[in-house]
Amino acid sequence: MEFINPIVDILCSEDCPPDWLIPELLTQGSLVCLVGESGAGKSYVSYTLSLAVASGVPALSGLVSKCAPKRVLYFDDENGVQDRDKYLKRSWLGLKVGNHGKEPALRLLDTNFWPVSFQLGTRDWQEQ
């Protein structure tokens, strides 16, 4: 595949609106690096955002609004399975509280949310 430098097209074109995953917060297809002290809540916030997007429910006091559910592939190569499961359960219960006591649909989460742990960098991670 030949690389074509699109700089002139980019500089001379009209701005196009972003394809928002979470309006005014995250664009679809972007790589996000969340950094902070250990125990600051990065994993909890990340799992909560991911479950909200996958189930289409609002989250984090309206930061994430109700939307059409989207598929989420969540790579967690930092937390062990026990911690991952703890974060998922807490996030799911938090979404229930923020959704007026209504649980996010398990059917949607089963279809749209895939947590993957300790797969990146293994010989066959792409196939898995």
Side-chain angles (χ1 to χ4, degrees):
M1 186 167 118
E2 184 179 324
F3 176 77
I4 299 172
N5 188 346
I7 189 67
V8 174
D9 292 337
I10 292 169
L11 295 176
C12 296
S13 67
E14 296 287 324
D15 288 340
C16 59
D19 185 9
W20 292 109
L21 179 62
I22 300 173
E24 306 300 324
L25 184 64
L26 295 174
T27 55
Q28 189 150 327
S30 60
L31 175 64
V32 177
C33 183
L34 192 57
V35 180
E37 295 288 328
S38 178
K42 302 177 298 292
S43 294
Y44 179 69
V45 167
S46 298
Y47 275 112
T48 301
L49 289 173
S50 298
L51 290 175
V53 168
S55 62
V57 300
L60 303 174
S61 300
L63 181 66
V64 178
S65 56
K66 185 175 181 175
C67 61
K70 297 180 181 174
R71 290 192 172 168
V72 175
L73 176 59
Y74 190 107
F75 285 100
D76 186 344
D77 275 358
E78 179 182 11
N79 295 301
V81 173
Q82 290 174 328
D83 286 336
R84 178 204 64 196
D85 293 353
K86 177 178 66 175
Y87 287 127
L88 282 168
K89 288 178 183 179
R90 285 183 182 171
S91 296
W92 185 68
L93 290 173
L95 289 175
K96 177 182 173 180
V97 169
N99 197 28
H100 308 290
K102 184 179 176 192
E103 295 175 346
L106 289 175
R107 176 187 56 78
L108 287 173
L109 292 175
D110 186 47
T111 301
N112 292 334
F113 184 80
W114 295 288
V116 179
S117 296
F118 302 104
Q119 300 295 324
L120 292 176
T122 60
R123 186 171 39 88
D124 58 347
W125 74 272
Q126 291 175 317
E127 290 81 24
Q128 292 184 21

